[in-house]
Amino acid sequence: RRELPDGGARPNASQFKQLVVSALGQLHGEVGAALPVDVLTYEEKTLSAILRVISSGLVKLWSALTLLGFYQNRRCAFRVLQTSPFLLALSGNSRELVL
């Protein structure tokens, strides 16, 4: 999830994808920018997304997003809420399950 503490522009899905690729490129160069990352879902209202990346690229993606501090000259931060090797596991949180 992306957080904008001082408001600011909310990117659409394509701008968000470009932001992710740019963050990878800034930290890891051309090799990082070439990492295949898919935006499976993106909610502009909450600035939340589900990203898919190969397991060997997880550390590169995570580090690039958490070290990114600005978007369009405004402070921003990414917060990784959950990771999983299985897409189905991201559909719900077992800790919030009510029986």
Side-chain angles (χ1 to χ4, degrees), residues 17-48:
K17 167 76 183 231
Q18 184 58 40
L19 176 62
V20 170
V21 171
S22 174
L24 281 163
Q26 286 177 17
L27 187 61
H28 301 290
E30 290 182 30
V31 173
L35 186 69
V37 177
D38 298 319
V39 179
L40 299 180
T41 63
Y42 175 68
E43 294 181 30
E44 191 172 335
K45 183 178 178 181
T46 61
L47 298 174
S48 298

Side-chain angles (χ1 to χ4, degrees), residues 1-2 9 11 13-14 27 32 42 53 56-58 66 69-70 73 82 86 89 96-99:
R1 182 174 64 193
R2 189 165 160 265
S14 62
L27 187 61
Y42 175 68
V53 65
S56 62
L58 176 62
T66 55
F70 290 91
N73 296 324
Q82 193 173 3
F86 307 106
E96 296 175 356
L97 184 63
V98 177
L99 299 175

